Amino acid sequence: METAEQVNWKVEGMDCANCALSISSYLKKQGMQEVKVNPVTGEVLFARNGSKIADEQLKKGIHDLGYTVVASGTAPATHAKKGINKFLRRLLLCLPFTLVLMLHMLPVHWHWLMNPWVQLAICLPVYIIGMQFFGRSALKGLSAGIANMNVLIALGATAAFLYSLAGTVFNLGPAYLFYETTANIITLVFLGNYLEEISIASTQRALNKLARQQQVMANMIAFDDQQQEIIFPLPNDQLKEGDLILIKSGEQVPADCKILWGEATVNEAIITGESAPLFKVAKERLIGGSLLTDGTVKAQVTAAASHSVLANIIDLVKKAQGDKPPVQELADKISAIFVPIVLGIAVLTFAINYFALHAVAPALLRSVAVLVIACPCAMGLATPAAIAVGLGRAARKGILFRNAKSLEAFKTIRHIVFDKTGTLTTGRFSIQSFSITDATLSEEAFQQLAYSLEKFSNHPIAQCISAAWKTTRLIRWQNVEEIKGLGVKAITKEGDVYMAGSYKIATGMTTDDTHNVYLVKNDRLLGWIDVKDEVRPEAKEVVAYFNARGVQTTLLSGDSIAKSQLLADTVGIQRVLAEQTPEQKLAVISRLNQTSPVAMVGDGINDAPAMAKATIGISMSDASQLAMQTADVVLMNHGLQKLPEALGIGKHTLITIRQNLFWAFIYNIIAIPFAAVGWFVPAAAALIMGLSDIVLVINSVRLFVKKVV
């Protein structure tokens, strides 16, 4: 089965949720699937799914709607010189003309300003600038079958302008002159858009910080014809897998790599959220974007910049930001029909006021105020702004949400199921106890023998023993081999056969099969060793956090009942289901899901089916690739301690979305009737409309500092 090609574009020109709907509708009409458009970030993601339509044709279609594709893939938009903000530029052009028009409203009489033709000349540049933006956007939106926010602005400003123009041409008097209304609407909406864009930019600061970490210069190592090293700088996005690089103290790691020479202290806070420095030596891996705080290393690139851990994190967050939780679906439906409804209300406002007041001017002003004050932007911005902040804060803390639905799903979780090994435990072993059954063997000799055998095995238990009992007094073997599934076998030059391994090598020498490692010499049992899996130091605290909040905790493990129960008692888990196969784990989660929404925390391949079935699947960053791909949430290094914060961020992001939607709906429900009865003049309506979005953004930005745990 052919995999759908995933496309990620950066699009400029979106200034409201209806803009996103326009682009989304166009792409879907062209046969694109899984379309996600985020008006906050400008990210447009979709899947081609076999479509033969060329990129250039799609980009032209988006351009015809009034928007511009400025970058493809994960690459940032590149500009020779960063220009002034488009809204600020238009605001500065319009503001002088608008201020001059407002002079005639001061107590001082400016007789020359009372001339309607002078007012027309002053207003015309503002109207032209406004229509170049709002008018073109409105027409292109309507051509795509979407009435966007700019339709209301363009209609409101045009109605006031044409009414004033008619009064000027036919010399109907000052009562027909509302040029300042036209100029005020356009200028104040540009001001509101500019303030909104500044506010929204702050919601992206965490993701922008990650993106900046991705773009650095690297010191690449090459060799001349004399095989002498040459160091030359180049952008890290040109590095390929296998390239050699030099990283010095104070420099940023330019790409995921493995240390070949040297040692260094590394700060991986940008990736993991942990500020504590880590000491790295040869053969250990460095994550691109982390900081070398001390030391110098030579390393080999293991992944190009576009496939690095950091790039994948950024891509994951961008995709999640473009996603919409179910709570947004009602707001989207209302936004799609909002503009036609407002147009109908504006016409009705004009008709009722005209027949009630028997005057065209106040009726027109009130209908224009209705057009201008209505704000579908607020409803469209409510969710993306909150999600951008929530996901940004989570990413900064090393918590990666694969989709926005997971944020909302956290509110329902009343049951958390934990895997054992690698989740509640570290997956690293330590020696618990040992016993020597041969009276002729001293403790030191027993440990020397165990080390001399186990150092030849890569098994985690063998590595644990060789690390604990490492000695320089190594026994020299004539021959040594590792027998998979059995253990290590070694022969001395005298012909004695020694073995270290599972109970299989000690069968017939003892009936006790409960130990991890047995040591045997010439079919005679020398002793045994027991190891234990280290419990994560934060596990008890995390489980206690959920127990205290009435969230049920369950241990679901494939390990023995005795070991699982011991761990559960140690960390405080309420219920134990042990000796479960992957199929049985899946069945357990299916059964629990029928009672209440369940979060499954796991790390292994055997956990992947259960994680996929759970309401939310949660994985550690050091988990198997399949587990990470299945998970809805990925917790970076030292991840278990981040679980309560992940839950808190999810819940509080949803609370913020609901608050935003409430204020957006209430704003329109209150503001439109007030405008219809004449409580707001169009200029005031334009200012209030712009400020409404800023209120929602400020409420969303609170998530950066809000206590969530």
Side-chain angles (χ1 to χ4, degrees):
M1 184 175 177
E2 188 178 351
T3 304
E5 180 191 352
Q6 299 294 319
V7 180
N8 180 2
W9 286 346
K10 178 81 171 179
V11 175
E12 284 187 350
M14 286 188 279
D15 52 80
C16 72
N18 288 61
C19 299
L21 284 174
S22 298
I23 295 174
S24 180
S25 298
Y26 167 74
L27 290 172
K28 287 177 180 176
K29 285 179 182 178
Q30 300 303 313
M32 304 302 116
Q33 296 184 351
E34 301 175 30
V35 180
K36 296 178 181 179
V37 183
N38 190 341
V40 174
T41 64
E43 297 290 331
V44 175
L45 301 101
F46 58 91
R48 281 189 162 278
N49 202 27
S51 172
K52 302 299 182 183
I53 300 175
D55 281 357
E56 293 307 315
Q57 184 178 341
L58 291 175
K59 290 178 181 179
K60 184 180 183 301
I62 291 175
H63 184 268
D64 290 342
L65 291 175
Y67 315 101
T68 306
V69 178
V70 294
S72 300
T74 56
T78 55
H79 302 278
K81 183 178 180 181
K82 188 174 180 180
I84 190 171
N85 179 281
K86 61 182 177 180
F87 294 121
L88 178 59
R89 182 176 67 250
R90 292 180 171 95
L91 172 64
L92 293 177
L93 289 172
C94 294
L95 188 60
F97 297 101
T98 303
L99 291 176
V100 171
L101 273 175
M102 296 296 293
L103 288 176
H104 80 280
M105 301 182 70
L106 297 175
V108 179
H109 291 288
W110 303 81
H111 295 290
W112 59 276
L113 261 180
M114 301 308 292
N115 187 318
W117 294 99
V118 172
Q119 289 191 26
L120 172 61
I122 297 171
C123 179
L124 194 58
V126 179
Y127 181 71
I128 291 172
I129 292 170
M131 288 307 104
Q132 279 183 333
F133 183 79
F134 300 119
R136 287 176 61 188
S137 174
L139 289 174
K140 289 177 177 179
L142 290 171
S143 68
I146 300 256
N148 60 33
M149 175 66 194
N150 292 332
V151 171
L152 301 180
I153 305 301
L155 277 177
T158 299
F161 181 80
L162 293 180
Y163 187 76
S164 303
L165 183 63
T168 301
V169 172
F170 298 107
N171 197 24
L172 299 176
Y176 283 80
L177 299 181
F178 296 103
Y179 288 116
E180 77 281 352
T181 297
T182 300
N184 277 331
I185 290 172
I186 292 171
T187 304
L188 289 173
V189 172
F190 278 142
L191 173 63
N193 286 344
Y194 173 58
L195 294 175
E196 177 188 329
E197 197 159 281
I198 291 175
S199 301
I200 288 174
S202 69
T203 69
Q204 287 298 99
R205 61 187 179 189
L207 188 59
N208 292 339
K209 184 179 179 182
L210 284 176
R212 285 195 298 272
Q213 300 293 324
Q214 198 179 9
Q215 302 160 21
V216 296
M217 294 296 291
N219 299 313
M220 185 172 175
I221 301 174
F223 297 90
D224 61 15
D225 54 1
Q226 303 298 318
Q227 293 301 305
Q228 298 295 315
E229 278 189 4
I230 303 173
I231 308 294
F232 64 94
L234 84 166
N236 67 326
D237 57 5
Q238 295 182 25
L239 289 174
K240 302 184 296 296
E241 185 177 344
D243 285 345
L244 301 179
I245 54 176
L246 173 70
I247 314 169
K248 295 177 283 188
S249 179
E251 291 183 345
Q252 204 168 289
V253 178
D256 292 357
C257 55
K258 182 173 70 174
I259 298 174
L260 300 179
W261 171 89
E263 53 190 36
T265 303
V266 186
N267 186 333
E268 295 182 348
I270 190 68
I271 307 296
T272 65
E274 295 294 329
S275 57
L278 302 172
F279 185 67
K280 301 271 188 173
V281 297
K283 296 185 180 180
E284 290 192 289
R285 295 184 180 274
L286 299 175
I287 300 175
S290 56
L291 184 68
L292 224 70
T293 56
D294 185 44
T296 298
V297 299
K298 293 178 182 179
Q300 184 175 41
V301 175
T302 56
S306 59
H307 297 96
S308 67
V309 171
L310 182 56
N312 290 333
I313 290 172
I314 293 172
D315 189 48
L316 194 64
V317 176
K318 284 180 178 178
K319 287 179 179 178
Q321 284 184 337
D323 201 15
K324 294 178 181 178
V327 73
Q328 176 65 10
E329 292 176 0
L330 176 61
D332 281 350
K333 291 176 182 177
I334 293 175
S335 291
I337 61 171
F338 185 83
V339 173
I341 290 174
V342 171
L343 292 174
I345 294 173
V347 171
L348 192 62
T349 297
F350 177 83
I352 292 173
N353 280 283
Y354 176 74
F355 287 112
L357 303 174
H358 303 290
V360 174
L364 179 65
L365 283 179
R366 292 178 183 184
S367 62
V368 168
V370 167
L371 289 173
V372 173
I373 205 167
C375 191
C377 283
M379 287 183 288
L381 190 64
T383 296
I387 286 177
V389 177
L391 292 177
R393 175 172 175 173
R396 190 176 61 186
K397 294 291 186 179
I399 302 164
L400 304 179
F401 287 87
R402 195 172 294 279
N403 52 62
K405 293 181 178 65
S406 302
L407 284 168
E408 182 171 353
F410 263 124
K411 80 177 189 298
T412 63
I413 298 299
R414 305 306 304 160
H415 194 160
I416 294 185
V417 176
F418 294 92
D419 172 50
K420 176 180 173 285
T421 305
T423 301
L424 291 172
T425 65
T426 62
R428 297 188 298 269
F429 295 94
S430 61
I431 295 176
Q432 183 179 26
S433 61
F434 65 94
S435 177
I436 304 171
T437 57
D438 188 329
T440 65
L441 205 59
S442 68
E443 182 177 313
E444 182 182 357
F446 181 81
Q447 293 179 358
Q448 178 191 15
L449 176 61
Y451 169 73
S452 299
L453 287 165
E454 296 289 41
K455 77 177 295 291
F456 293 99
S457 173
N458 289 322
H459 192 281
I461 293 179
Q463 290 180 332
C464 149
I465 294 171
S466 59
W469 290 347
K470 186 175 182 179
T471 177
T472 56
R473 298 175 60 202
L474 185 67
I475 298 174
R476 304 296 177 184
W477 307 109
Q478 183 76 21
N479 182 47
V480 61
E481 64 174 322
E482 182 177 11
I483 305 171
K484 294 297 181 185
L486 197 64
V488 178
K489 179 180 178 181
I491 302 174
T492 64
K493 61 183 178 181
E494 290 83 13
D496 292 320
V497 178
Y498 290 85
M499 292 189 72
S502 65
Y503 176 69
K504 291 178 183 177
I505 68 169
T507 304
M509 304 174 210
T510 177
T511 57
D512 185 357
D513 62 354
T514 61
H515 306 298
N516 297 112
V517 178
Y518 295 82
L519 262 64
V520 172
K521 175 185 178 182
N522 296 331
D523 296 327
R524 187 176 83 257
L525 183 64
L526 300 178
W528 48 258
I529 306 168
D530 273 343
V531 300
K532 64 178 180 178
D533 195 357
E534 293 178 5
V535 179
R536 289 186 184 267
E538 69 273 17
K540 187 172 183 178
E541 183 181 349
V542 169
V543 172
Y545 173 87
F546 291 114
N547 287 339
R549 282 154 183 79
V551 178
Q552 186 175 351
T553 53
T554 295
L555 177 61
L556 182 62
S557 175
D559 209 342
S560 68
I561 293 175
K563 290 182 179 179
S564 298
Q565 188 62 59
L566 177 62
L567 176 63
D569 293 340
T570 302
V571 300
I573 286 182
Q574 300 162 344
R575 183 184 180 196
V576 176
L577 295 171
E579 299 180 358
Q580 301 289 303
T581 64
E583 293 79 10
Q584 290 172 323
K585 287 185 176 184
L586 177 61
V588 167
I589 295 297
S590 299
R591 187 170 66 252
L592 294 176
N593 261 336
Q594 295 173 1
T595 306
S596 63
V598 175
M600 169 75 188
V601 190
D603 82 313
I605 292 174
N606 62 331
D607 300 319
M611 288 165 60
K613 187 68 176 177
T615 309
I616 300 178
I618 303 170
S619 165
M620 308 293 185
S621 63
D622 50 359
S624 70
Q625 195 63 29
L626 182 59
M628 286 184 66
Q629 290 173 355
T630 306
D632 301 298
V633 181
V634 178
L635 306 176
M636 300 303 287
N637 291 6
H638 311 292
L640 195 62
Q641 68 187 30
K642 301 178 191 295
L643 188 55
E645 189 163 11
L647 187 73
I649 289 174
K651 284 185 174 181
H652 283 276
T653 300
L654 180 67
I655 290 170
T656 303
I657 290 172
R658 286 178 167 171
Q659 289 171 344
N660 286 352
L661 288 172
F662 171 79
W663 287 115
F665 282 121
I666 288 297
Y667 162 82
N668 283 291
I669 289 169
I670 294 174
I672 291 175
F674 278 10
V677 298
W679 283 30
F680 298 130
V681 296
L687 184 59
I688 294 170
M689 184 275 293
L691 292 175
S692 67
D693 292 349
I694 297 171
V695 169
L696 297 190
V697 172
I698 291 172
N699 186 51
S700 300
V701 170
R702 286 174 55 239
L703 259 175
F704 274 126
V705 296
K706 192 176 183 182
K707 185 177 180 180
V708 297
V709 178

PDB file of all heavy atoms in Angstrom, residues 309 336 444 566 703:
ATOM      1  N   VAL A 309      16.426  14.558  16.165  1.00  0.00           N
ATOM      2  CA  VAL A 309      15.459  14.533  17.265  1.00  0.00           C
ATOM      3  C   VAL A 309      14.753  15.874  17.372  1.00  0.00           C
ATOM      4  O   VAL A 309      13.524  15.951  17.509  1.00  0.00           O
ATOM      5  CB  VAL A 309      16.176  14.208  18.597  1.00  0.00           C
ATOM      6  CG1 VAL A 309      15.233  14.405  19.776  1.00  0.00           C
ATOM      7  CG2 VAL A 309      16.709  12.781  18.572  1.00  0.00           C
ATOM      8  N   ALA A 336     -18.225  29.290  10.148  1.00  0.00           N
ATOM      9  CA  ALA A 336     -18.460  29.122   8.716  1.00  0.00           C
ATOM     10  C   ALA A 336     -19.725  29.843   8.247  1.00  0.00           C
ATOM     11  O   ALA A 336     -19.806  30.282   7.100  1.00  0.00           O
ATOM     12  CB  ALA A 336     -18.545  27.631   8.383  1.00  0.00           C
ATOM     13  N   GLU A 444      35.611 -12.973  47.383  1.00  0.00           N
ATOM     14  CA  GLU A 444      36.388 -12.244  46.379  1.00  0.00           C
ATOM     15  C   GLU A 444      36.603 -13.091  45.134  1.00  0.00           C
ATOM     16  O   GLU A 444      36.475 -12.607  43.995  1.00  0.00           O
ATOM     17  CB  GLU A 444      37.734 -11.827  46.980  1.00  0.00           C
ATOM     18  CG  GLU A 444      38.601 -11.027  46.022  1.00  0.00           C
ATOM     19  CD  GLU A 444      39.950 -10.659  46.624  1.00  0.00           C
ATOM     20  OE1 GLU A 444      40.192 -10.974  47.808  1.00  0.00           O
ATOM     21  OE2 GLU A 444      40.770 -10.061  45.891  1.00  0.00           O
ATOM     22  N   LEU A 566       5.451  -6.808  44.329  1.00  0.00           N
ATOM     23  CA  LEU A 566       6.477  -6.147  45.136  1.00  0.00           C
ATOM     24  C   LEU A 566       6.680  -4.700  44.665  1.00  0.00           C
ATOM     25  O   LEU A 566       6.759  -3.773  45.479  1.00  0.00           O
ATOM     26  CB  LEU A 566       7.795  -6.925  45.047  1.00  0.00           C
ATOM     27  CG  LEU A 566       8.993  -6.310  45.802  1.00  0.00           C
ATOM     28  CD1 LEU A 566       8.703  -6.248  47.297  1.00  0.00           C
ATOM     29  CD2 LEU A 566      10.266  -7.109  45.519  1.00  0.00           C
ATOM     30  N   LEU A 703      -1.255  30.815  30.115  1.00  0.00           N
ATOM     31  CA  LEU A 703      -0.875  29.408  30.261  1.00  0.00           C
ATOM     32  C   LEU A 703       0.632  29.235  30.456  1.00  0.00           C
ATOM     33  O   LEU A 703       1.081  28.238  31.012  1.00  0.00           O
ATOM     34  CB  LEU A 703      -1.306  28.620  29.020  1.00  0.00           C
ATOM     35  CG  LEU A 703      -2.585  27.788  29.109  1.00  0.00           C
ATOM     36  CD1 LEU A 703      -2.908  27.184  27.770  1.00  0.00           C
ATOM     37  CD2 LEU A 703      -2.489  26.724  30.177  1.00  0.00           C
TER      38      LEU A 703
END
